Amino acid sequence: MHSAKKPINSEPIDTNRAKGTSPLFDLYVNEKRMTLARWPNQEWAHIKNPLVQKTSFTTMETLPAMNENIADTQIHIFPGNDWFDQYLGVALINQASNTIQTSGPAQYDLQPGRRFYLLNQRSFLDAASEWLYDKQTREISFIPTNLEPIQTITVSSLPNVVIADGLSYVNFSRLKFKHSAGSGLIFRSSTKIQLDSLEIAGTGGNGLEVRGGNNVTLSNSSVYDTGKHGAIMTGGNRNTLQPSGHILHNNHIHHVGVSILTYSGAIYVDGVGSVVTHNLVEFGNGSAILVAGNEHLIEKNEVRQFCLLSSDCGAIYTGRDWAGRGNTIRNNYIHEIPGYGLKGTDVSTNQVIYQSPDYAMGIYLDDGASGFHVNGNILKNIGGVSFYIHGGRDNNFYNNYIITDHSAIKISKILTPNYDWNKNQDRLNKVPYQSEIWRKKYPELTKPGINMFWPEGNTVEGNVIISNSIDTPSLIYWIPGSSTTIRNNLVWSTSNQIILDYNITEQNVRHQTASWQQWIAEGVEKNSLFINPCIDLIGKSLIACKDSPIFDKHIPLPQSDIGLNR
């Protein structure tokens, strides 16, 4: 065990998702992030029975004996689902009754079987690569690995590496920005900034934050090992739909959201008119690319290995905004998005079952997200639904290729009875959607709907779907048939049969295990074929045989220059 003394700023850097008094800086040995002393060492412990709705519960596992003051102990917990994690302080730990009480309420009601682990007790410091900070003595202790000699020890005590306000016409090139308790680089209201061939790593918060301003570009760079997002780009004017001009191009962004696991993506864009092209984003516990606002372009990116520790999660995710229109997601290759979630709990025997793959989405337009254009994408090995419209309107999904063992497409109204549609309406009311600029750009917003809670006006056209599923519905359409366009698709199953789950809303027609012939007979989907498309995916490129029916349907093959330009 090694020790080192250094003054540390241990103030929390995130008062919403990270509460409590444990240190929110990190220790690096030989440039590798160490793990704050925890119990259990590797796996998770689990809630047995909630005692107080958001603050107290018994545990399935026997809690460890602790003689120390628990004031600095912290709990990392998924309190009530598999898509939101947070850190809380701990007020009480009772080993005799296996009871934990948090110092503040969790975001969601506690549920049996949900995951947690405890942090920041000296008795937890018992495994290689763990560390601990004693605030009284200002001493850091750690247990190194036996694999290599210690060459460097780094404490990420800087709040941020660089903060620039109102900067203009500056280039940063071939530089490294590493080790901060907060974000690495922050640019606020800055203009014409070129960030090229950078290495941004080892942050407690985000790698790069661009807040407002215009024409900030990050290119040919590497962003990794971030506590939260890899890169955030916000800017533009939603009232006038003036684009920000921000660009993320040809970057390798990976191993992000290592502290805050969910909603900490490789990329987050908000505002108007950011461009995200030719990036390779890989390895994250939640969603990879999160989109909010208008007129963004997400193009020719490779996205892989996300949703590794969460479910109800999307590789590309957006939600809860009727006004967030004009966004384009095209020519991306999205694959190996498994999902991970709770499938069974037996409190009488202290048994809990988690599984992967579990209910992850490739492109997830959640909670009423509307007005997206999604075309030319390849989606493969998605652990739930490759493309999902959840209650949204006026979305266009065309000329995409899906290869899946699970569900290819799902369109549904929001079934949750307590979903608050006022959130969507409030966001709509905050933009001038009745103005001339908005009416011209988004004429659908001026048209009355049959039912504002139905997924109306969506189009699914010219897609190629290859299903390897035997017992899972490949296509799930819970839709108003009269206001949904589904046509000219090529659908195929390697088992020569396909299962559909459909509900034609206005007719109250529901079939959960329908055949292709039964679905086509309803007359909702037109001019589509159940036929082998005769295509192969080789690397990131799709190859079609000369007699492929995609040519008769005029379905273009996706472009081959996806991902990094090495």
Side-chain angles (χ1 to χ4, degrees):
M1 184 179 293
H2 291 247
S3 296
K5 291 188 177 181
K6 187 177 179 69
I8 301 295
N9 173 12
S10 59
E11 290 298 315
I13 59 173
D14 187 333
T15 58
N16 182 31
R17 300 284 295 280
K19 298 178 181 179
T21 58
S22 68
L24 290 180
F25 56 87
D26 287 287
L27 177 72
Y28 293 81
V29 176
N30 297 342
E31 290 299 313
K32 295 179 180 177
R33 187 190 296 250
M34 304 284 278
T35 300
L36 187 61
R38 56 171 282 184
W39 175 89
N41 283 331
Q42 298 294 332
E43 300 298 327
W44 298 77
H46 303 91
I47 297 170
K48 182 170 185 175
N49 288 310
L51 301 176
V52 179
Q53 198 172 55
K54 294 180 186 289
T55 59
S56 180
F57 58 92
T58 59
T59 67
M60 291 189 177
E61 293 78 8
T62 300
L63 290 171
M66 287 175 288
N67 298 319
E68 308 107 299
N69 186 335
I70 65 167
D72 293 330
T73 307
Q74 197 175 43
I75 185 171
H76 185 194
I77 187 169
F78 283 78
N81 51 57
D82 288 312
W83 45 264
F84 184 92
D85 67 306
Q86 64 182 133
Y87 293 81
L88 296 168
V90 174
L92 172 71
I93 295 176
N94 187 324
Q95 189 192 25
S97 60
N98 271 348
T99 301
I100 294 175
Q101 180 181 331
T102 61
S103 59
Q107 181 75 17
Y108 296 94
D109 290 350
L110 301 165
Q111 291 186 356
R114 296 299 175 186
R115 298 168 274 168
F116 75 92
Y117 59 81
L118 298 172
L119 293 159
N120 205 40
Q121 280 280 332
R122 183 163 293 277
S123 59
F124 300 163
L125 186 61
D126 59 1
S129 296
E130 287 191 340
W131 69 283
L132 185 78
Y133 174 58
D134 188 324
K135 288 197 300 184
Q136 299 301 316
T137 63
R138 292 189 172 182
E139 183 177 78
I140 291 175
S141 304
F142 68 93
I143 302 177
T145 66
N146 298 320
L147 300 179
E148 56 185 346
I150 296 174
Q151 296 177 338
T152 62
I153 300 174
T154 306
V155 176
S156 60
S157 57
L158 284 175
N160 305 282
V161 182
V162 171
I163 297 178
D165 286 316
L167 197 66
S168 298
Y169 295 95
V170 177
N171 295 344
F172 295 77
S173 179
R174 294 185 294 178
L175 297 169
K176 294 182 179 181
F177 301 91
K178 304 181 74 173
H179 304 310
S180 63
S183 295
L185 289 86
I186 301 175
F187 293 88
R188 303 187 187 112
S189 303
S190 297
T191 302
K192 298 287 185 180
I193 306 296
Q194 295 290 325
L195 310 171
D196 187 72
S197 301
L198 306 184
E199 182 180 348
I200 306 170
T203 66
N206 307 305
L208 168 69
E209 291 185 35
V210 177
R211 303 286 186 180
N214 60 78
N215 299 106
V216 178
T217 297
L218 176 72
S219 58
N220 308 312
S221 295
S222 178
V223 183
Y224 62 95
D225 187 27
T226 63
K228 299 180 186 176
H229 296 287
I232 291 177
M233 292 280 196
T234 70
N237 188 318
R238 289 195 81 185
N239 290 335
T240 64
L241 298 177
Q242 178 69 30
S244 68
H246 297 325
I247 297 173
L248 289 167
H249 174 72
N250 204 48
N251 303 292
H252 186 196
I253 306 177
H254 59 99
H255 293 90
V256 297
V258 299
S259 298
I260 303 293
L261 306 183
T262 56
Y263 297 102
S264 293
I267 295 166
Y268 172 75
V269 293
D270 196 357
V272 183
S274 289
V275 175
V276 179
T277 63
H278 283 292
N279 301 285
L280 169 60
V281 298
E282 56 182 347
F283 300 109
N285 298 302
S287 297
I289 300 176
L290 296 104
V291 181
N294 300 75
E295 303 298 320
H296 302 298
L297 173 62
I298 315 296
E299 180 178 41
K300 297 186 178 180
N301 304 283
E302 181 177 0
V303 182
R304 61 184 296 268
Q305 294 293 342
F306 275 83
C307 301
L308 297 179
L309 284 179
S310 58
S311 68
D312 199 3
C313 165
I316 299 180
Y317 179 88
T318 186
R320 299 196 175 188
D321 195 354
W322 282 329
R325 295 174 177 249
N327 299 296
T328 298
I329 302 170
R330 71 186 182 201
N331 299 321
N332 301 283
Y333 179 30
I334 304 168
H335 60 113
E336 321 313 324
I337 311 295
Y340 178 84
L342 177 64
K343 303 311 292 182
T345 302
D346 187 343
V347 295
S348 66
T349 59
N350 290 337
Q351 296 294 313
V352 62
I353 299 172
Y354 279 81
Q355 77 172 27
S356 180
D358 182 68
Y359 205 56
M361 273 54 84
I363 299 173
Y364 192 2
L365 311 185
D366 195 14
D367 291 348
S370 300
F372 274 69
H373 302 274
V374 181
N375 65 283
N377 301 283
I378 304 170
L379 299 108
K380 182 183 179 184
N381 291 345
I382 311 300
V385 183
S386 296
F387 175 69
Y388 187 7
I389 298 174
H390 189 208
R393 312 168 71 84
D394 307 317
N395 297 293
N396 294 285
F397 184 73
Y398 58 99
N399 297 347
N400 299 281
Y401 287 76
I402 297 174
I403 303 170
T404 183
D405 293 340
H406 302 278
S407 297
I409 300 173
K410 181 176 181 179
I411 305 176
S412 73
K413 63 182 179 180
I414 298 175
L415 298 178
T416 305
N418 59 353
Y419 180 76
D420 186 2
W421 282 99
N422 289 325
K423 294 179 179 179
N424 297 62
Q425 188 65 51
D426 289 346
R427 289 188 176 183
L428 184 62
N429 292 340
K430 288 179 181 178
V431 299
Y433 70 95
Q434 305 264 10
S435 69
E436 182 179 352
I437 292 173
W438 274 70
R439 290 166 68 91
K440 183 177 180 180
K441 195 75 174 180
Y442 312 125
E444 297 89 354
L445 281 173
T446 68
K447 300 175 182 177
I450 298 172
N451 187 317
M452 67 182 297
F453 308 128
W454 290 358
E456 296 180 356
N458 296 297
T459 297
V460 177
E461 181 174 8
N463 301 287
V464 177
I465 298 160
I466 300 175
S467 171
N468 303 311
S469 174
I470 298 174
D471 53 4
T472 301
S474 298
L475 298 167
I476 304 170
Y477 292 133
W478 302 342
I479 55 174
S482 59
S483 61
T484 306
T485 300
I486 307 176
R487 64 190 178 197
N488 295 324
N489 300 292
L490 298 178
V491 178
W492 181 243
S493 170
T494 53
S495 65
N496 290 317
Q497 58 183 355
I498 197 166
I499 300 172
L500 291 95
D501 177 351
Y502 66 85
N503 181 348
I504 305 174
T505 308
E506 67 269 53
Q507 300 176 22
N508 197 27
V509 173
R510 175 73 190 275
H511 294 282
Q512 295 178 268
T513 57
S515 66
W516 175 256
Q517 293 79 9
Q518 187 176 1
W519 163 245
I520 291 299
E522 299 286 358
V524 176
E525 182 158 0
K526 298 177 173 62
N527 299 320
S528 296
L529 298 174
F530 185 77
I531 189 172
N532 190 340
C534 194
I535 57 171
D536 285 317
L537 180 60
I538 301 175
K540 293 180 286 187
S541 300
L542 279 169
I543 308 298
C545 65
K546 65 178 181 179
D547 297 325
S548 171
I550 68 170
F551 301 118
D552 293 333
K553 287 288 186 183
H554 304 289
I555 303 173
L557 287 167
Q559 299 182 25
S560 59
D561 60 333
I562 296 172
L564 289 175
N565 295 323
R566 300 279 185 181

